[in-house]
Amino acid sequence: MGRVIGGEVIEDARRRGRVVLEVLPGDIVTSLARETALRLGILLADGPIEKPAPVKTDGPTAARRVLYKRSARWVAPGKGPHHRGRRFTKIACVGAGGVGSNVAHLVATAHLADEIMLIDIAPGLAAATAMDLNHTAGITGVGTRCNGGEDLSLVAGADVVVVTAGQARRPGMTRADLINVNGRVIGQAAEAIRTQAPDAVVIVVTNPLDEMTVKMLRATGFPHGRVLGMAGTLDSGRFRTALAAAAGVTPADVQAITLGSHGDEMVPITSRARIRGRPLDVWLPQDQIDACVKEAVIGGGQVVALKKRGSATIAPAHAAVELLDYMRGARQGPVPVSVMLNGEYGIRDVVLGMPANLGMSGLLSVEEMRLTPAETKALHAAAAAVRTRLEI
Ligand code: LMR
């Protein structure tokens, strides 16, 4: 039996701050109600309107969640106090595909550098993207200069080189399957960086990430603090997104990181993760925590499977810019980044994602964080897997 929706129902909806009113099959809407809706700007939408599925949890978890969601003491930390941070002189992006061009776009829009240089072997791609970015300046009013070309020597004088060049995996492949083909790309980029930008900090994004960071380090001969790998910020972002969705909170309410390798041996750190300042098991039953861990690990592969050709571009670009923000002091505190280890966590001579403090000159220190024995064991397993793949 339908309802009669009259003018007073619309007025009541308006008082309660509603902008949409669902009209179900069988409901009768009076002409006065229609006029009132028009006048008050309320949309009469044919229902039933699809609603997000409620987050399923067991009884005690649901009770605790309600309790802590309402806790008056919780204040989302956000991004902390606003720091302006320093500006780079020149950021070079080796690779002007999806990730490289998105990095350049974010850097240009936020004016993180005086100059961006895009480099790509695809004829015209880097120059075209640079020109396109320069055209945005007339809209944004931001004065970053963008240039582009095909020659790797254009990295000359960069204070940061972001390397995204190389092949993306296709559905069914692991990142490690790219080790040989992308290893050659890294070799060429490293040679140009070593000779043309000898003081640069290098941020490797090319996969397989940890292995390519080792190759870049060896081929440039740079001090280990000047060769960083971007993966931890991306994997941590995916982990936080999954946890926020499962707990029904905003991602800003979630603090969580992942360490280890950027592959199957990724180590989302559940013991240190917090939702609104509380441990995960206050909010989520173990099977949902496990599902969030899995989402972080397989997130990149899911994008690859959907795209069929190519991999994620937007989140990786944001994750690379997050590292730039930590380097320039706009964000402070430890951030997960792949670095060569020298005995930290009992691991040495291999690159792995670790919490670290960064500055304009790259790595300042690796943060030793208290982990559970299982998490430490998983980090050692990740180190062993990267070593095996590099045959070291
Ligand atoms: C990612 O995690 O999105 C990238 O490493 C690309 C990939 O192959 O998954």
Side-chain angles (χ1 to χ4, degrees), residues 169 175 207 234 238 262 300 304 311-312:
R169 61 178 163 149
R175 298 178 179 97
N207 274 320
L234 173 61
R238 287 179 176 147
H262 184 49
V304 171
S311 51

Side-chain angles (χ1 to χ4, degrees), residues 336-368:
V337 56
S338 292
V339 288
M340 176 59 81
L341 293 175
N342 192 18
E344 296 91 346
Y345 295 85
I347 302 170
R348 61 174 65 249
D349 298 331
V350 73
V351 163
L352 223 49
M354 289 293 162
N357 297 296
L358 303 180
M360 290 294 272
S361 58
L363 175 71
L364 301 179
S365 62
V366 173
E367 187 94 353
E368 295 260 5

Side-chain angles (χ1 to χ4, degrees), residues 236 239-240 243 253-258 268-284 289 292-293 369-371 375:
S236 303
F239 189 30
R240 287 193 292 270
L243 288 169
D253 288 341
V254 182
Q255 290 160 293
I257 56 166
T258 82
I269 304 297
T270 53
S271 70
R272 309 278 305 197
R274 296 288 180 271
I275 299 176
R276 295 198 170 175
R278 306 278 167 175
L280 296 187
D281 59 3
V282 166
W283 291 81
L284 299 168
I289 298 174
C292 293
V293 165
M369 166 182 279
R370 196 151 41 85
L371 302 177
E375 287 164 347

Side-chain angles (χ1 to χ4, degrees), residues 99 167-170 173-175 178 205-209 230-231 234-235 238 262-263 266 296-304 310-313 315-316:
V99 182
Q167 286 192 16
R169 61 178 163 149
R170 290 185 300 280
M173 290 172 79
T174 68
R175 298 178 179 97
L178 300 168
V205 180
T206 304
N207 274 320
L209 191 275
M230 186 294 292
L234 173 61
D235 300 332
R238 287 179 176 147
H262 184 49
M266 197 182 291
V297 178
I298 65 168
Q302 285 177 324
V303 176
V304 171
S311 51
T313 55

